[in-house]
Every structure is written in structure tokens, then in C-alpha cells.
Amino acid sequence: MTTPTDVLCAGIIVADHVSSPIPRLPGAGEVVLADQLLLTIGGCAANVAVDLARQDVAVSVLARVGDDVFGQVVRDMLAAARVDVQGLQTTPGQPTSQTLIVNVASEDRRFIHTIGANGYFRAADIPVEAARRCKVLYLGGFFVMDRMVQDELAPVFAAARSAGAKTILDVVTPGPGDYLPRLDRLLPHVDVFLPNSHEAELMLGEKDPLRQAERLRSLGVQTAIITQGDGGAVLVDDRERLRAGTYAVPFVDGSGGGDAFAAGYIAGLLRDLDPAGCLRYASALGASCVRAIGTTTSVFTRPEAEEFLANNELPIERL
């Protein structure tokens, strides 16, 4: 990888098949019509990379796709979004990871997922020299990449931090499990960890978002952020405890909102914003994402984000 980059986005890449909201789930043998069915990119690494490119950030993706048509579709879509795909590897004999996202009006989304090539991505696929040259190393989708283990990833994060990069970690928890022992030795090498409240509860056995963030801090994370969807977010670092609200926008589809939040926070870090400023930027991109179906379709560009931030206030409480 020789192209200069500010952010390396590593982790899961997915081809998403997304329906516009339908009135109800179909019964056996029934057809329910949707206004739109969208084939688009998804997965933490892809979503964050595309959203950062919209903020005029030089960004590269490190991930695996299969040797099928969906792998080529994902590669082409990322390149069209101005994301460097030199680090996107093809895994022979494996399908590209895919998710079927069913949106039912006034209900949470339903997901049907296949892991595919994402299951073959590992820490060795992140070049240490590239990690040392970037400003931010982001990894998303931890726990759904079977070959991504903390004892191999921790030295990569440590190398990036020693060279001055910020390390950002996000997770996907597919269901109840014993997650913390798979993560505890990595957390001291993490600058920003931003699970949602449900993920944090599965990891920690704690329901309160503030206590979740404080527990993660005690395990070595420098900045712990717990996102709560339309409930806002909580941030705890070594100096501040903040609770942020949300921006009011029309809601269509929540897919990708958390990844847009992560991208906004990273964009704030690159602009040397303070934690409250980073939360504002993150919340703005997260809000923009949910206005249309698809994980990146309606995410603000940088000028749009700046105009929105200039004209809208985000409630932030110091705890």
C-alpha cells in the first residue's frame, strides 16, 4: 500500500440487500411489495470509509471479499466513493459477506447474514508499516471475524499508537456470549471504543450506559463512548463525562447510523475538535444517515455537515 492515507478502515465488508419500509412481514408463500430494493455496500469498514471520504478525508480500506460478483460490486462501489481499495483482498473459494435487511414500518430492522470472506480477515492483513503511517487506525466488526484475535491485533494497535496514530475499535455482537475475555488484553491499546448500549451490556453485564463507559475506562480504554440510537450517546475519558442528545431528523432506516457516528467522531479528531465537538460531528453524520434506506446513501458531505452544524444545536450535558 503506497497511496498516502489519513485513515485506515479495517474490518468487515458486506454487500447489503436493503428493502424500503414494508407494511408487514409476508406470510408463508405471500408477496409483499416494497417501493425499493437496494443493493449497496455495508459493513463497518466500508461504511466508515465511504462516510469519511464524504468528509474529504483520504481513506483506505483493509478487508476481504469473495471471488464472486458481489465482491466486484463492492470493490467498484468503494472506488467510486473515492475510497482507496488497494488493501481489499479477494479470498478464493469464499462468497462475499452479505446481509438481507428487511425494514418493516414502525419496527426495528430484521437481518439475515452470511459471514463469508470476512471470516478470513485477520490482524496480519493490516500492514504494520501502513498502520504507523496513518493518523487513525479504525477496526470495525470485531467478534464476527473468527480469525481476528486480540493477541495478534494488540501489537498492530500498539505500533500505530507508538507512531502517533489514534486507534478506534468497534464491535458487532451477534448474540449472547462470553465476549470480554476475547477483548480484555486489547482494550489498553484502544484510544476510542464505541459500542452501542446493547453490545456493551452483552460484554459487561451492565445496563446503565454511564456505568458501561466507566467500566470500559477501568479496563484501559482511553475514551469510551456508548451510543444509544435515538437516546443519544455517553462519553467518558480521563477528564470529562458527557451525555449528548440527538438531532431531530426524519427517520427512514437506521442501517449504518452507528458507523456514520464513528466516521463523524473520527472526522472531528482529524480536525482537532474537543470531545464535545467530536460528539457534535458524530451525531450530525449519524442523524444524516437515517434519512434514507441504505447505510451511506444520505450521509452528509463535508459542506452539508458544516452547514447543518452551524444551524442546529446538540444538547450536551456534563455529568
Side-chain angles (χ1 to χ4, degrees):
M1 180 175 294
T2 58
T3 303
T5 191
D6 289 328
V7 181
L8 292 179
C9 285
I12 60 173
I13 296 279
V14 181
D16 277 346
H17 310 260
V18 191
S19 75
S20 57
I22 57 178
R24 67 184 188 283
L25 289 175
E30 181 187 11
V31 174
V32 172
L33 296 180
D35 291 334
Q36 186 179 8
L37 295 174
L38 181 69
L39 172 61
T40 186
I41 52 176
C44 306
N47 295 339
V48 172
V50 169
D51 297 343
L52 283 169
R54 288 180 176 235
Q55 310 315 303
D56 299 326
V57 172
V59 58
S60 300
V61 71
L62 302 173
R64 287 183 176 267
V65 294
D67 57 354
D68 54 12
V69 65
F70 295 110
Q72 190 60 52
V73 167
V74 166
R75 187 182 297 273
D76 291 345
M77 286 184 172
L78 286 168
R82 298 185 295 124
V83 174
D84 176 25
V85 295
Q86 293 180 77
L88 185 58
Q89 301 182 58
T90 299
T91 306
Q94 292 298 316
T96 299
S97 178
Q98 297 167 59
T99 301
L100 173 62
I101 303 175
V102 181
N103 283 297
V104 178
S106 302
E107 296 182 13
D108 202 357
R109 298 153 291 160
R110 271 91 165 175
F111 302 93
I112 301 173
H113 180 73
T114 182
I115 291 175
N118 284 335
Y120 290 79
F121 188 68
R122 59 188 302 169
D125 293 326
I126 305 173
V128 173
E129 285 308 309
R132 289 194 178 109
R133 292 196 304 269
C134 69
K135 296 178 181 177
V136 173
L137 172 59
Y138 165 89
L139 186 133
F142 198 82
F143 294 139
V144 290
M145 297 174 285
D146 290 343
R147 289 167 174 78
M148 181 64 68
V149 295
Q150 63 173 334
D151 290 333
E152 294 178 1
L153 183 59
V156 180
F157 270 35
R161 292 181 90 190
S162 68
K166 295 288 187 183
T167 56
I168 317 288
L169 181 68
D170 204 353
V171 297
V172 173
T173 51
D178 192 15
Y179 292 111
L180 196 56
R182 298 167 57 187
L183 190 66
D184 54 352
R185 294 185 299 281
L186 176 63
L187 293 179
H189 303 285
V190 174
D191 287 306
V192 181
F193 186 30
L194 30 65
N196 64 42
S197 55
H198 175 68
E199 292 163 342
E201 182 179 353
L202 288 175
M203 287 185 287
L204 304 172
E206 168 63 59
K207 291 187 176 183
D208 180 76
L210 180 58
R211 288 196 291 268
Q212 290 171 348
E214 290 173 335
R215 176 78 189 286
L216 291 171
R217 277 276 301 155
S218 74
L219 293 171
V221 174
Q222 184 172 352
T223 299
I225 303 171
I226 308 296
T227 59
Q228 302 167 259
D230 59 6
V234 170
L235 178 150
V236 176
D237 64 13
D238 58 347
R239 292 180 295 180
E240 294 194 276
R241 292 156 33 119
L242 304 175
R243 188 189 306 277
T246 58
Y247 292 108
V249 295
F251 180 89
V252 175
D253 175 18
S255 303
D259 298 329
F261 183 99
Y265 199 89
I266 293 169
L269 288 177
L270 293 173
R271 289 159 175 72
D272 294 321
L273 301 181
D274 64 9
C278 288
L279 280 177
R280 292 185 183 96
Y281 210 122
S283 299
L285 288 201
S288 71
C289 180
V290 306
R291 301 174 301 160
I293 68 168
T295 56
T296 62
T297 310
S298 61
V299 173
F300 287 144
T301 63
R302 179 175 178 173
E304 289 170 341
E306 291 174 346
E307 180 180 2
F308 182 85
L309 287 164
N311 291 294
N312 294 272
E313 291 292 330
L314 181 72
I316 295 181
E317 174 188 6
R318 282 180 164 80
L319 304 175

